[in-house]
């Protein structure tokens, strides 16, 4: 693969590289790691790349790689830049025949997202949006249980993503991660709700298979001087009658990434927490609740869950393994597609990205109208 | 004390009796346990009461007890009937000089609640509303920490009370508890939001010391045939700028009484869960989160918490002990008042009951206007 | 009931009184609360007792009460003194026709225990030893599950009781609880292993229904100046082939009363922790582990568990409720016996007390022989 | 690196490959994956290896690789065969100038282990024994806290490793993992105590910095037909006076890899559980216990812990990441050594392997003498 972004000091670029490397199926062969060619070179060197394949810009990378023999050139492009720099390389890559892995949210604005979906459809390229939490084995188990009807009709979904790291004016300190995430020029029209609210929205729709129909949102910026929201609470109504609540916050002091989802159906309920990702609590009305555990050896799990684990139960798999599942599935789909064989798309795609941008738009719009209901 | 309600098959009557008995300070001396005099007698007998002091109605009880010598007659009245039967005995008791302990919500309607507060003020009687969760030692600790400024300015409050016991049409089976709680003639205009939503509302205001200013609510009745809401999600805005979310549900299948509250301030946060009531998680931004534990021997706890425990840490105290704290504090206040001494009112009162009725009104009103904001 | 011991500053006396009072079936009518008559009077006054029934010694209490009319005199004696003062009042009470509730361990020495069992047998009196942890609903559930064969043949039992409160030389500070518990004149030949090790031993035998056959123990006194052991680790072999480990410690700094037991059989396993007593984890080989929860409404529980709860699931019951179960069951058995009716003995008795003293003897003997195996 | 073992169906071989790949610093370049050359070839192909560097035996691999130019040949050998096949390739590799990573336990017998330590010393090669649990960030934190004196003098260590997967006669079903682990020809003289007991022993010594001086062990084989122990309980005495208990079991039905360690010192205590590896509970005597959490952004952690994490707190790292830490540290040490620079040995070495073999020997010896004390 070839990488766009992910130079020195980047958090998510390294995550993508580790995730891609884990299963020994994907090799990083080139990159345009920074808009500063010197920094890009430096990154490439530390990654043991051929210096001829460390590029000064994504345009250069895509066009030069395209000209290389098929056996040599990168198979796909991985985009790990801030939000405002997703669209251009994704477009160029697909238009030049490359599949794309892209960090979330899909891009800067709803317009861009709609364009991207169009380009995906026109070029026939594969597009994987790294809503990485969908890669956890117990999230897959939850999705499969809902799909199989084990919960009955879904009634209520509560999804929350509290973080505490932006409880203070961290962006004022020059911290890079805080900087771009709170900057409307780079993040888009939403802060917290775009950065992590979209994860929560995606997870709720991914597991439940239901679409949010309308929502009422109350966004707040608690920290003085901050330019975007750092907290949001959203009432949800799903197609088909389920109700829900979504909470995302970056001022929940003392919380890390406490992403948690609870789904209640007529027959059973589910609860999953990202901080202990290998357990899924299955709730019942007339018998004891159960602790489902991730593990390749647990015959009671659905194949969709087992195939997302690498090792037997009791060896905790975490964030990187979940992330790696998306890369593994994407690479497999890409290979099968290239071989003309049928393939599964078990990973989030540009359509999910478009949902995310619609979510951001609807939330911001609702909040600006004092939490009126807005269709998504 | 004398009891109104709490005859055979009642759940909460027995809870009140155990709570009152626990500390050996309060004796049940009389009662009007049922509107059916035979059932009342039966209850009295099983409670070893003098048969002359088992009454056929609360009117009879209050008036006859009043005529007894002071050393003999009941000290106060405990009202444990369904909601629609709170007002009349409370009024009569106070007008005849008796202090009152009353189960929640305070009464059937906002009008009644306003009248009751007036009567309390006019008669000078003590009125304890058994929002029993306020009696837990770690709830007291939480309140004291907020009050002392340990959290800094409060930003966000999330309070939730999911239950699963009404996931099916239980009231159709003749189950008594389900019957009156889902009956608008007995419960009032709200179901779930009145029965347990008021607990959540009360707990949030009790700990934070903040008042809800306005709210936007989405109520649902998920179970076919049910006459009142069985689920509600509410956006909250507190006076002073804090935001919040309140969730109450009786269709959260597999959940028991998972009352949980999280409060985030500028400096620290708190998390408490009723199912493990002896632990309070204290959250920090730049040092490890801490596990505060209830216990009379923990010098790091505030006196308000220590005085609400009976035994050293490691001996779990639960629901009944918390409930008993309200009785103990009420009895002490009553005694001190009678002796003309200064006394503390650390228990919820009629004012809290009025807040609860305003909450119910505002929620129902908001929900009927498609979750518009309603002032409380 | 009449109480021996439990005067000012006593921890366990107040626990017994609250436990006895909780269900409204038992009334404290007299007591000899202290060897100091003045302190005894003071205690009696604070408990609202008739001053004529506050006695200066247990001998006086037992003999005077015996002379009162049956309808008036105490029904039974509750003994809550330090270990060395159990035997004499228990003996005198039973020889004068009174049933006895006695705190654990049953007495000061194995000889005394053997005598007491003889006296119980000769007098036909009921004797309840308050190994209170046996009163928890989920301990009852665990025992019933083992008995019903749900675990299959038991293989392994791990029981542990770590505390941290004696991590320092607390007895040097004059703290009363620490004082007598570390004093061989009052506690007997063992410290930690007598005080809490016997609880662990009792719990293991109570739930499993198995008897310890032999053991190898390593006792330690970690704190300088302490006269008795403050830590012990014991290998266990049960009759029938099960193996086990018992750990008791009072220098486990930061632990409260972390009594925990795990039992593994051929078909299933169990785990219960006193700090979260309302949950029982049931472990399986080929399906998810389950969370059994205490509650009068959980139809999946055995009657032995349900009858030990007062309220539906979700209202945590704790230490005092478990303690109260023993009193309730004892009082019921006593009443039925008096009425000539059949009765159950679901509470620990003098035989269990004798087992405890044998356990102490065997542990101390084994440890003094460098952890050689000693039959119990 | 070149791999010995790890062919089709092997569990641990794949784990080593993922761990080595994760950080992008180590490339698998050759292997002798099976004693069956056909299977070795097949494995090599699926791993995208040059077919000329897929060897039929470890001897062939080591000798041929040695003859390749330095820039091309493997840097080190990774040995992932069953226990009885560790010694020969490790010896040959080191004698031919290659550093070695080796799975645990270090070899088949104490004699072999002593020879290996000699060879390490004579050849000056680096030898990393993959006691992978030492790679967890919070294990590193625990070790650093002990070393810094935060716990004071250590008094008590409890380490346990219960598993349930061998509760039945799984080896009779042809399951490969169960087969060799219960076969004395392949595992050596111990079953459970060698396979996982050594992990527990290593973890206790690694964190505490203390050496076990003597032990008393009771081993059992619970499952009919099994040739080696499947359960063991061991009393420990450490040099310097600390006491301990070690439990390892493979018949703890329903448990996964519930490796857990608790260490109590005079000033503070620690508790860590492998199933939730990102949390370390720090216990105190006079203030609340604390939840230390892994994360590159937690300034309160020691550098030894932070350097063992890849991502900020809240992104769970697990088993593979911990395993990868050993590879990363080993590779770095190897590189620095090659460059003539100073380097740290933060990973377990052959000396730890020798300790493990001594532990196995002592446990088996003690158990065969009815749990007599045996010096280790």
């Amino acid at each position: 693969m070839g990488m766009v972004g992910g130079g020195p000091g980047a958090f998510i670029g390294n995550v993508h590289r580790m995730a891609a490397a884990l299963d020994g199926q994907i090799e990083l062969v080139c990159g345009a790691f920074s808009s500063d060619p010197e920094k890009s070179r430096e990154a490439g060197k530390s990654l043991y790349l051929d210096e001829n394949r460390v590029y000064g810009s994504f345009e250069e990378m895509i066009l030069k790689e395209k000209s290389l023999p098929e056996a040599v050139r990168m198979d796909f492009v991985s985009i790990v830049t801030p939000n405002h720099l997703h669209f251009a390389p994704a477009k160029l890559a697909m238009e030049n025949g490359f599949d794309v892995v892209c960090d979330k949210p899909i891009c800067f604005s709803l317009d861009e997202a709609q364009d991207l979906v169009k380009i995906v459809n026109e070029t026939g390229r594969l597009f994987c949006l790294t809503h990485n939490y969908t890669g956890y084995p117990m999230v897959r188990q939850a999705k499969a249980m809902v799909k199989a009807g084990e919960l009955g009709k879904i009634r209520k979904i509560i999804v929350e993503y509290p973080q505490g790291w932006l409880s203070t004016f961290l962006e004022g300190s020059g911290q890079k991660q805080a900087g771009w995430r709170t900057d409307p020029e780079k993040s888009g029209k939403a802060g917290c709700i775009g950065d992590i609210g979209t994860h929560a929205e995606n997870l709720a729709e991914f597991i439940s298979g239901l679409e949010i129909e309308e929502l009422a949102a109350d966004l707040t910026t608690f920290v003085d001087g901050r330019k975007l929201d750092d907290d949001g609470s959203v009432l949800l109504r799903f197609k088909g009658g389920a109700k829900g609540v979504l909470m995302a916050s970056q001022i929940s002091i003392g919380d890390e990434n406490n992403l948690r989802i609870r789904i209640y159906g007529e027959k059973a309920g589910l609860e999953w927490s990202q901080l202990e990702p290998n357990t899924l609590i299955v709730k019942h009305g007339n018998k004891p609740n159960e602790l489902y555990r991730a593990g390749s050896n647990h015959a009671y799990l659905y194949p969709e869950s087992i195939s997302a684990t690498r090792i037997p139960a009791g060896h905790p798999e975490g964030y990187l393994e979940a992330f790696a599942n998306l890369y593994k599935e994407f690479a497999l789909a890409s290979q099968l597609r290239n071989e003309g064989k049928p393939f599964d798309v078990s990973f989030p795609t540009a359509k999910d990205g478009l949902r995310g941008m619609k979510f951001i738009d609807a939330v911001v719009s609702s909040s600006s109208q004092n939490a009126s209901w807005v269709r998504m």
Side-chain angles (χ1 to χ4, degrees), chain A residues 164-180:
Chain A
W165 71 296
L166 291 177
S167 291
T168 59
F169 190 58
L170 189 60
E171 58 268 49
S173 73
Q175 210 257 18
K176 188 177 169 178
Q177 299 300 323
W180 75 259

Side-chain angles (χ1 to χ4, degrees), chain A residues 134-141 278 294-296 302-311 317-318 321-322 324-326 328-329:
Chain A
T134 64
Y136 275 111
M138 298 323 276
V139 168
R140 297 295 173 92
Q141 173 68 17
N278 295 292
S296 59
Y302 281 97
E304 290 89 331
S305 177
I306 289 179
S307 72
T309 61
R310 289 160 183 80
I311 28 182
E317 294 191 68
E321 289 85 344
N325 284 335
L326 301 190
K328 189 173 63 173
E329 293 164 3

Side-chain angles (χ1 to χ4, degrees), chain A residues 219-232:
Chain A
L219 298 183
T220 312
T221 304
F222 280 107
V223 174
D224 284 345
R226 183 156 293 157
K227 293 181 189 157
L228 290 169
D229 60 284
D230 51 26
D231 182 88

